[in-house]
């Protein structure tokens, strides 16, 4: 696997919590510099923006875009046009059309574009997908609830257009579901609870089905206090599969199959290195399409909840 030099665009909470440890654990990845008008990292060259970083470091071959969603398209496109491989934090864009354009640009430039659905790299996901592959699903229950004050402290962009609100974590659940369920599934109903001073929902109740008539229910909520709930339960052919703790714990019919430490971002960077080495892209828009359907098809209900 070839080594590559990386530039980080955005130095927020997700970078400090997840990207930096994963980069340090990826021998082929060498972090060269960062671009962020408000933050920097010790002992690394820091720049106000992407273009300045790339101008100063022509040896950078890849960039990770970790900025708020509405900023990612312009930054990713600029990097691709300069021949850089690009990793996009989830979701890969604020709209489907943005992502589709980035796919076309990456193909034209002959570089790799990677939509980083990190939850798909949770320890139990691949085994769950394998087990479900030849089964008929009857019922799916998804519960993805957390405290927004813990996971997005002071991040006002999440309540603005393109910020996605509770779908920012909820799309992680959808990224797992679209990966492991053996049939495509389609939205039937969506109830979106939107705070009176926000543009995106603080909670959502979704109902889906698949071509075989499975019942698929998802509940997303940003108002939970205490530990998060990141669980899904799938009834199939008389058996039950439970993927909990964000995909770290897998049980089938009350038998513990996997219970492992979360190392999703290490998996992401290992995969990014593979894609760069082969100059291939990997951009699945299925989770983002499900969110777009929810906004298009959903019923928006105002709430007195007030976002500070």
């Amino acid at each position: 696997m070839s080594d590559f030099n990386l530039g980080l665009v955005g130095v927020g909470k997700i970078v400090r919590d997840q990207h930096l440890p994963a980069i340090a654990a990826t021998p082929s990845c060498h972090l060269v510099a960062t671009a962020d008008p408000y933050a920097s990292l010790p002992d690394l060259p820091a720049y106000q923006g992407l273009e300045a970083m790339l101008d100063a470091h022509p040896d950078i071959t890849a960039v990770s875009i970790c900025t708020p969603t509405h900023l990612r398209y312009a930054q990713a496109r600029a990097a691709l046009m300069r021949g850089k491989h690009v990793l996009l934090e989830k979701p890969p864009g604020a709209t489907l059309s943005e992502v589709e354009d980035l796919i076309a640009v990456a193909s034209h430039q002959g570089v790799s574009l990677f939509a980083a659905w990190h939850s798909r790299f949770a320890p139990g996901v691949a085994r769950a997908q394998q087990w479900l592959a030849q089964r008929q699903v009857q019922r799916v229950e998804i519960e993805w609830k957390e405290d927004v004050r813990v996971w997005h402290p002071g991040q006002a962009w999440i309540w603005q257009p393109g910020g996605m609100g509770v779908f920012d974590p909820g799309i992680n659940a959808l990224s797992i579901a679209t990966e492991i369920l053996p049939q495509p599934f389609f939205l039937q109903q969506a109830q979106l609870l939107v705070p009176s001073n926000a543009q995106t929902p603080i909670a959502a109740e979704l109902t889906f089905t698949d071509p075989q008539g499975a019942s698929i229910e998802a509940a997303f909520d940003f108002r939970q206090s205490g530990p998060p709930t990141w669980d899904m339960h799938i009834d199939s052919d008389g058996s039950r599969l439970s993927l909990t703790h964000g995909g770290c714990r897998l049980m089938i019919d009350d038998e513990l199959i996997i219970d492992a430490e979360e190392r999703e971002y290490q998996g992401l960077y290992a995969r990014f290195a593979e894609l760069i080495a082969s100059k291939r892209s990997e951009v699945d828009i299925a989770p983002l399409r499900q969110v777009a359907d929810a906004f298009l098809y959903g019923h928006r209900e105002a709430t007195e909840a007030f976002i500070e």
Side-chain angles (χ1 to χ4, degrees):
M1 191 176 299
S2 302
D3 288 7
F4 63 97
N5 292 332
L6 181 75
L8 274 175
V9 185
V11 190
K13 180 175 171 26
I14 193 65
V15 165
R16 297 171 190 273
D17 291 351
Q18 297 287 0
H19 286 259
L20 292 180
I23 291 167
T26 307
S28 60
C29 181
H30 307 287
L31 182 56
V32 172
T34 65
D36 190 314
Y38 308 108
S40 61
L41 297 173
D43 304 321
L44 270 180
Y47 300 89
Q48 292 287 300
L50 167 73
E51 296 284 0
M53 180 182 72
L54 296 181
D55 287 343
H57 298 275
D59 57 326
I60 288 176
T61 53
V63 298
S64 288
I65 308 291
C66 308
T67 52
T69 313
H70 66 284
L71 301 176
R72 290 177 193 160
Y73 169 73
Q75 294 165 336
R77 199 178 202 283
L80 293 170
M81 291 299 294
R82 293 184 62 153
K84 310 301 180 183
H85 307 287
V86 172
L87 180 152
L88 288 165
E89 248 295 351
K90 62 83 194 172
T95 67
L96 290 166
S97 56
E98 286 183 353
V99 181
E100 288 166 348
D101 182 63
L102 294 178
I103 292 170
V105 173
S107 177
H108 183 265
Q109 294 293 108
V111 293
S112 300
L113 179 65
F114 181 33
W117 299 114
H118 63 83
S119 290
R120 290 181 173 179
F121 291 82
V125 170
R127 183 70 176 275
Q129 181 190 39
Q130 182 183 29
W131 188 82
L132 287 165
Q134 302 302 321
R135 293 177 175 268
Q136 183 169 333
V137 171
Q138 282 86 41
R139 181 171 177 79
V140 181
E141 301 169 2
I142 301 171
E143 192 176 12
W144 226 257
K145 300 177 180 180
E146 61 186 53
D147 187 341
V148 67
R149 295 165 296 183
V150 172
W151 297 94
H152 292 279
Q155 296 179 11
W157 59 265
I158 204 166
W159 305 113
Q160 298 166 2
M164 302 188 78
V166 76
F167 285 107
D168 185 82
I171 204 170
N172 293 334
L174 294 171
S175 74
I176 294 175
T178 53
E179 180 80 352
I180 68 174
L181 293 179
Q183 296 281 344
F185 56 94
F186 317 103
L187 187 70
Q188 290 187 308
Q189 293 182 334
Q191 186 81 13
L192 311 181
L193 197 61
V194 181
S196 55
N197 66 331
Q199 298 296 312
T200 57
I202 198 169
E205 300 280 344
L206 309 176
T207 300
F208 304 90
T209 192
D210 71 4
Q212 307 303 320
S215 171
I216 303 170
E217 304 282 342
F220 305 151
D221 205 318
F222 252 158
R223 299 167 297 178
Q224 177 148 303
S225 59
T229 302
W230 299 325
D231 300 342
M232 61 180 64
H233 305 282
I234 303 171
D235 295 322
S236 174
D237 297 337
S239 295
R240 167 163 276 214
L241 179 149
S242 292
L243 197 58
T244 60
H245 298 77
C248 289
R249 184 180 175 91
L250 174 65
M251 294 188 70
I252 299 175
D253 290 333
D254 299 323
E255 178 186 355
L256 181 62
I257 307 299
I258 293 174
D259 189 2
E261 183 181 348
E262 180 271 307
R263 293 183 177 178
E264 296 171 5
Y265 279 79
Q266 290 186 33
L268 277 185
Y269 276 93
R271 182 60 177 159
F272 191 33
E274 292 173 356
L275 293 172
I276 290 172
S278 60
K279 293 188 177 180
R280 292 185 294 121
S281 291
E282 190 171 282
V283 188
D284 182 9
I285 62 173
L288 184 59
R289 185 186 293 114
Q290 295 288 3
V291 173
D293 284 354
F295 276 103
L296 177 67
Y297 196 65
H299 172 69
R300 293 168 61 95
E301 180 179 336
T303 173
E304 294 302 316
F306 190 84
I307 304 304
E308 296 180 357

mmCIF file of all heavy atoms in Angstrom, residues 202-222:
data_model
loop_
_atom_site.group_PDB
_atom_site.id
_atom_site.type_symbol
_atom_site.label_atom_id
_atom_site.label_comp_id
_atom_site.label_asym_id
_atom_site.label_seq_id
_atom_site.Cartn_x
_atom_site.Cartn_y
_atom_site.Cartn_z
ATOM 1 N N ILE A 202 -35.149 18.272 15.371
ATOM 2 C CA ILE A 202 -34.514 17.800 16.599
ATOM 3 C C ILE A 202 -34.886 16.343 16.868
ATOM 4 O O ILE A 202 -34.244 15.657 17.667
ATOM 5 C CB ILE A 202 -34.906 18.707 17.787
ATOM 6 C CG1 ILE A 202 -33.936 18.522 18.952
ATOM 7 C CG2 ILE A 202 -36.364 18.471 18.219
ATOM 8 C CD1 ILE A 202 -34.090 19.558 20.049
ATOM 9 N N ALA A 203 -35.926 15.858 16.191
ATOM 10 C CA ALA A 203 -36.361 14.468 16.305
ATOM 11 C C ALA A 203 -37.093 14.079 15.028
ATOM 12 O O ALA A 203 -37.613 14.930 14.300
ATOM 13 C CB ALA A 203 -37.263 14.269 17.520
ATOM 14 N N ALA A 204 -37.121 12.764 14.764
ATOM 15 C CA ALA A 204 -37.797 12.266 13.564
ATOM 16 C C ALA A 204 -38.290 10.843 13.799
ATOM 17 O O ALA A 204 -37.606 10.043 14.437
ATOM 18 C CB ALA A 204 -36.857 12.297 12.362
ATOM 19 N N GLU A 205 -39.483 10.560 13.291
ATOM 20 C CA GLU A 205 -40.053 9.208 13.294
ATOM 21 C C GLU A 205 -40.281 8.806 11.843
ATOM 22 O O GLU A 205 -41.000 9.492 11.100
ATOM 23 C CB GLU A 205 -41.382 9.177 14.056
ATOM 24 C CG GLU A 205 -41.278 9.591 15.518
ATOM 25 C CD GLU A 205 -40.772 8.473 16.401
ATOM 26 O OE1 GLU A 205 -40.793 7.302 15.942
ATOM 27 O OE2 GLU A 205 -40.359 8.751 17.542
ATOM 28 N N LEU A 206 -39.667 7.701 11.412
ATOM 29 C CA LEU A 206 -39.700 7.290 10.017
ATOM 30 C C LEU A 206 -40.274 5.890 9.879
ATOM 31 O O LEU A 206 -39.990 5.005 10.700
ATOM 32 C CB LEU A 206 -38.291 7.307 9.418
ATOM 33 C CG LEU A 206 -37.459 8.586 9.605
ATOM 34 C CD1 LEU A 206 -36.055 8.382 9.042
ATOM 35 C CD2 LEU A 206 -38.130 9.774 8.950
ATOM 36 N N THR A 207 -41.050 5.682 8.833
ATOM 37 C CA THR A 207 -41.588 4.361 8.507
ATOM 38 C C THR A 207 -41.199 4.015 7.080
ATOM 39 O O THR A 207 -41.456 4.787 6.153
ATOM 40 C CB THR A 207 -43.122 4.342 8.643
ATOM 41 O OG1 THR A 207 -43.475 4.663 9.992
ATOM 42 C CG2 THR A 207 -43.680 2.974 8.291
ATOM 43 N N PHE A 208 -40.578 2.840 6.921
ATOM 44 C CA PHE A 208 -40.150 2.358 5.612
ATOM 45 C C PHE A 208 -40.760 0.987 5.345
ATOM 46 O O PHE A 208 -41.270 0.323 6.254
ATOM 47 C CB PHE A 208 -38.619 2.193 5.555
ATOM 48 C CG PHE A 208 -37.812 3.409 5.893
ATOM 49 C CD1 PHE A 208 -37.426 3.663 7.199
ATOM 50 C CD2 PHE A 208 -37.396 4.285 4.896
ATOM 51 C CE1 PHE A 208 -36.653 4.774 7.519
ATOM 52 C CE2 PHE A 208 -36.613 5.396 5.203
ATOM 53 C CZ PHE A 208 -36.249 5.641 6.520
ATOM 54 N N THR A 209 -40.646 0.535 4.114
ATOM 55 C CA THR A 209 -40.927 -0.851 3.771
ATOM 56 C C THR A 209 -39.979 -1.262 2.657
ATOM 57 O O THR A 209 -39.282 -0.414 2.070
ATOM 58 C CB THR A 209 -42.392 -1.062 3.349
ATOM 59 O OG1 THR A 209 -42.681 -2.461 3.306
ATOM 60 C CG2 THR A 209 -42.669 -0.430 1.985
ATOM 61 N N ASP A 210 -39.939 -2.573 2.371
ATOM 62 C CA ASP A 210 -39.122 -3.060 1.263
ATOM 63 C C ASP A 210 -40.020 -3.798 0.267
ATOM 64 O O ASP A 210 -41.231 -3.895 0.483
ATOM 65 C CB ASP A 210 -37.970 -3.930 1.788
ATOM 66 C CG ASP A 210 -38.434 -5.279 2.330
ATOM 67 O OD1 ASP A 210 -39.638 -5.604 2.236
ATOM 68 O OD2 ASP A 210 -37.586 -6.020 2.856
ATOM 69 N N PRO A 211 -39.485 -4.306 -0.844
ATOM 70 C CA PRO A 211 -40.347 -4.954 -1.844
ATOM 71 C C PRO A 211 -41.107 -6.166 -1.325
ATOM 72 O O PRO A 211 -42.120 -6.559 -1.918
ATOM 73 C CB PRO A 211 -39.352 -5.358 -2.946
ATOM 74 C CG PRO A 211 -38.225 -4.380 -2.813
ATOM 75 C CD PRO A 211 -38.098 -4.141 -1.356
ATOM 76 N N GLN A 212 -40.638 -6.754 -0.218
ATOM 77 C CA GLN A 212 -41.313 -7.911 0.356
ATOM 78 C C GLN A 212 -42.298 -7.534 1.454
ATOM 79 O O GLN A 212 -42.899 -8.398 2.085
ATOM 80 C CB GLN A 212 -40.257 -8.880 0.926
ATOM 81 C CG GLN A 212 -39.173 -9.278 -0.057
ATOM 82 C CD GLN A 212 -39.735 -9.912 -1.310
ATOM 83 O OE1 GLN A 212 -40.676 -10.702 -1.250
ATOM 84 N NE2 GLN A 212 -39.168 -9.554 -2.461
ATOM 85 N N GLY A 213 -42.462 -6.229 1.702
ATOM 86 C CA GLY A 213 -43.440 -5.769 2.679
ATOM 87 C C GLY A 213 -42.961 -5.725 4.110
ATOM 88 O O GLY A 213 -43.776 -5.677 5.044
ATOM 89 N N ALA A 214 -41.658 -5.729 4.333
ATOM 90 C CA ALA A 214 -41.125 -5.655 5.694
ATOM 91 C C ALA A 214 -41.534 -4.342 6.361
ATOM 92 O O ALA A 214 -41.686 -3.304 5.702
ATOM 93 C CB ALA A 214 -39.602 -5.771 5.668
ATOM 94 N N SER A 215 -41.699 -4.388 7.676
ATOM 95 C CA SER A 215 -41.981 -3.189 8.470
ATOM 96 C C SER A 215 -40.662 -2.676 9.041
ATOM 97 O O SER A 215 -39.976 -3.382 9.795
ATOM 98 C CB SER A 215 -42.946 -3.535 9.605
ATOM 99 O OG SER A 215 -43.062 -2.449 10.505
ATOM 100 N N ILE A 216 -40.303 -1.446 8.691
ATOM 101 C CA ILE A 216 -39.034 -0.853 9.122
ATOM 102 C C ILE A 216 -39.348 0.487 9.780
ATOM 103 O O ILE A 216 -39.845 1.411 9.128
ATOM 104 C CB ILE A 216 -38.073 -0.654 7.933
ATOM 105 C CG1 ILE A 216 -37.837 -1.993 7.222
ATOM 106 C CG2 ILE A 216 -36.760 -0.044 8.392
ATOM 107 C CD1 ILE A 216 -37.100 -1.882 5.893
ATOM 108 N N GLU A 217 -39.078 0.578 11.074
ATOM 109 C CA GLU A 217 -39.365 1.792 11.847
ATOM 110 C C GLU A 217 -38.066 2.359 12.402
ATOM 111 O O GLU A 217 -37.215 1.612 12.916
ATOM 112 C CB GLU A 217 -40.310 1.477 13.010
ATOM 113 C CG GLU A 217 -41.624 0.823 12.607
ATOM 114 C CD GLU A 217 -42.619 1.824 12.033
ATOM 115 O OE1 GLU A 217 -42.423 3.036 12.259
ATOM 116 O OE2 GLU A 217 -43.587 1.384 11.382
ATOM 117 N N ALA A 218 -37.908 3.688 12.300
ATOM 118 C CA ALA A 218 -36.723 4.345 12.832
ATOM 119 C C ALA A 218 -37.136 5.553 13.664
ATOM 120 O O ALA A 218 -37.988 6.341 13.240
ATOM 121 C CB ALA A 218 -35.789 4.777 11.706
ATOM 122 N N ALA A 219 -36.514 5.695 14.840
ATOM 123 C CA ALA A 219 -36.751 6.836 15.719
ATOM 124 C C ALA A 219 -35.412 7.505 16.007
ATOM 125 O O ALA A 219 -34.498 6.866 16.557
ATOM 126 C CB ALA A 219 -37.421 6.380 17.007
ATOM 127 N N PHE A 220 -35.300 8.776 15.623
ATOM 128 C CA PHE A 220 -34.098 9.561 15.880
ATOM 129 C C PHE A 220 -34.461 10.696 16.838
ATOM 130 O O PHE A 220 -35.508 11.327 16.673
ATOM 131 C CB PHE A 220 -33.532 10.164 14.587
ATOM 132 C CG PHE A 220 -33.245 9.164 13.500
ATOM 133 C CD1 PHE A 220 -33.325 9.544 12.158
ATOM 134 C CD2 PHE A 220 -32.887 7.864 13.788
ATOM 135 C CE1 PHE A 220 -33.059 8.635 11.142
ATOM 136 C CE2 PHE A 220 -32.616 6.944 12.785
ATOM 137 C CZ PHE A 220 -32.702 7.334 11.456
ATOM 138 N N ASP A 221 -33.590 10.976 17.815
ATOM 139 C CA ASP A 221 -33.911 12.029 18.778
ATOM 140 C C ASP A 221 -32.626 12.615 19.343
ATOM 141 O O ASP A 221 -31.721 11.879 19.748
ATOM 142 C CB ASP A 221 -34.774 11.480 19.911
ATOM 143 C CG ASP A 221 -35.628 12.554 20.575
ATOM 144 O OD1 ASP A 221 -35.101 13.665 20.800
ATOM 145 O OD2 ASP A 221 -36.803 12.286 20.869
ATOM 146 N N PHE A 222 -32.565 13.952 19.344
ATOM 147 C CA PHE A 222 -31.420 14.691 19.877
ATOM 148 C C PHE A 222 -31.628 15.097 21.337
ATOM 149 O O PHE A 222 -30.787 15.761 21.914
ATOM 150 C CB PHE A 222 -31.204 15.968 19.051
ATOM 151 C CG PHE A 222 -29.994 15.941 18.166
ATOM 152 C CD1 PHE A 222 -29.922 16.786 17.062
ATOM 153 C CD2 PHE A 222 -28.912 15.116 18.430
ATOM 154 C CE1 PHE A 222 -28.800 16.801 16.235
ATOM 155 C CE2 PHE A 222 -27.792 15.129 17.612
ATOM 156 C CZ PHE A 222 -27.728 15.973 16.514
#
